[in-house]
Amino acid sequence: MSLSIIFSCIYLSIVAVSMLFFTSSPALFIAYMVMSLLTFALYAKDKRAAIKGQWRTKESTLHLFSLLGGWPGALLAQAKLRHKTQKQPFKAILWMSIIGNISAFLWALTAQGQAVLQPILANLLSN
């Protein structure tokens, strides 16, 4: 198993455990899982398109999905599909989006983050 898959599994475990100790919403864990599945699917689609010489997914789209929480799926796709693993600028931006996403998650666990996010989540869940 690759280090990136282990890293993703550990992180998702931390997100799950945060529901117990930091009262983070289960919706957050579900969002990570959904975004990871979508991001993995985008990578798979792009890999297929690359092989067939068809229209490709924009790199900015792949990065956006990673930044929004799909980065565990991106790392899994890179490891399993061997896609987007050699292009250095792409890898650097991916890791910047991972750091940005983890930073946002950690901020969301603080009192200030909770104060900002609770009304937003309440509004989203009530609609």
Side-chain angles (χ1 to χ4, degrees):
M1 189 178 300
S2 75
L3 286 176
S4 59
I5 293 173
I6 293 169
F7 176 68
S8 296
C9 290
I10 290 171
Y11 181 75
L12 290 173
S13 297
I14 290 169
V15 172
V17 168
S18 76
M19 291 184 292
L20 301 172
F21 296 105
F22 294 99
T23 64
S24 65
S25 170
L28 183 63
F29 181 74
I30 293 167
Y32 269 109
M33 296 307 292
V34 169
M35 287 304 295
S36 290
L37 288 171
L38 289 173
T39 305
F40 186 93
L42 278 175
Y43 270 73
K45 180 181 177 237
D46 189 53
K47 173 76 175 194
R48 245 186 337 272
I51 291 169
K52 293 182 178 183
Q54 296 174 339
W55 179 83
R56 305 280 305 276
T57 303
K58 290 181 181 180
E59 287 186 355
S60 60
T61 302
L62 296 174
H63 288 309
L64 178 62
F65 273 72
S66 295
L67 180 64
L68 295 176
W71 63 264
L75 292 180
L76 180 63
Q78 285 186 335
K80 293 298 181 186
L81 305 174
R82 297 185 190 276
H83 188 52
K84 297 288 188 184
T85 59
Q86 298 300 316
K87 200 171 178 186
Q88 189 51 44
F90 184 89
K91 288 172 53 174
I93 294 169
L94 174 62
W95 279 100
M96 285 189 291
S97 69
I98 291 169
I99 291 167
N101 181 269
I102 291 173
S103 298
F105 171 73
L106 293 173
W107 171 79
L109 297 178
T110 66
Q112 180 186 14
Q114 290 288 313
V116 171
L117 293 177
Q118 288 300 334
I120 295 169
L121 289 174
N123 189 30
L124 288 173
L125 295 175
S126 68
N127 289 332

